[in-house]
Amino acid sequence: SWNAVSGATHYQIFRATSANASSAQPISGWITEPRFDDVQASANTTYYYYVKAAQSATGSNATALSAEDSGWRKAAPAPVVQVSGELK
């Protein structure tokens, strides 16, 4: 999540695999809440996120990309399987 921008009603999230805003690609449409969960992120990969703010769902008067913030998704633990009464 991030701090809401005064006058903004919509936000668009961008993601890159390096701290280089010019390589960032949009990963959302224009959303209204100042938070986003990147459920498409690959586990154990560091990503760099950027946000644009705008005054409408069409992106009117959009800001430039924000400063980056990095993040990653932890890998899910392996499932426990029971075979013949023993945990393996």
Side-chain angles (χ1 to χ4, degrees):
S1 67
W2 56 92
N3 294 329
V5 174
S6 179
T9 58
H10 290 77
Y11 303 92
Q12 188 174 35
I13 295 76
F14 291 73
R15 180 178 74 190
T17 53
S18 66
N20 180 353
S22 64
S23 67
Q25 298 295 312
I27 59 170
S28 77
W30 290 98
I31 61 174
T32 58
E33 296 295 321
R35 65 179 180 271
F36 182 78
D37 185 17
D38 186 0
V39 297
Q40 299 300 315
S42 296
N44 298 321
T45 300
T46 299
Y47 292 103
Y48 298 86
Y49 295 91
Y50 305 84
V51 178
K52 282 187 177 184
Q55 294 177 332
S56 75
T58 61
S60 64
N61 298 318
T63 64
L65 291 174
S66 67
E68 82 237 9
D69 194 8
S70 61
W72 56 278
R73 182 174 294 279
K74 187 176 179 179
V80 175
V81 179
Q82 185 173 2
V83 179
S84 301
E86 296 178 28
L87 291 177
K88 295 191 179 194

